[in-house]
Amino acid sequence: KAYAPLMDYIFAYIEELKERLSEMYYQRAAYYDKIMKKRDSAIIAYKDFLEKAPRSDKYTALVNERIAALQAEKEKADANKK
């Protein structure tokens, strides 16, 4: 029981680290998407985000929408090549 405050601190710190990692994975994907304009790389990075931070309340819906939009753009571009 003497460890309870320490355990609370540790669990809170772990949650903070998970949030930081989630932010990092999202920012990496957004970099490929918005700055580098590398659609395929962005799709891979967004999917990596979903794999590594699947419970991110802040970004999960946005990431799923962005993946769908990028895949639609890719399919349209591929169809135009034919």
Side-chain angles (χ1 to χ4, degrees):
K1 295 193 181 220
Y3 297 110
L6 181 59
M7 293 302 291
D8 290 342
Y9 171 78
I10 291 170
F11 288 126
Y13 189 66
I14 289 170
E15 287 306 309
E16 180 183 336
L17 290 175
K18 286 179 182 178
E19 287 178 28
R20 287 184 186 181
L21 281 171
S22 171
E23 180 75 25
M24 181 197 71
Y25 290 125
Y26 175 77
Q27 291 300 331
R28 183 185 62 180
Y31 170 79
Y32 286 118
D33 187 8
K34 306 294 183 182
I35 295 171
M36 296 301 294
K37 308 284 189 207
K38 302 279 187 180
R39 181 177 45 232
D40 291 341
S41 297
I43 291 170
I44 291 167
Y46 282 129
K47 287 181 177 181
D48 189 50
F49 168 90
L50 291 176
E51 183 179 315
K52 294 180 176 165
R55 291 173 279 164
S56 170
D57 295 335
K58 189 173 181 181
Y59 295 115
T60 301
L62 178 64
V63 166
N64 282 317
E65 290 172 13
R66 198 63 195 127
I67 290 171
L70 289 169
Q71 287 178 329
E73 288 175 17
K74 182 178 179 177
E75 289 171 10
K76 184 176 180 182
D78 290 347
N80 289 337
K81 288 180 184 178
K82 293 179 181 181

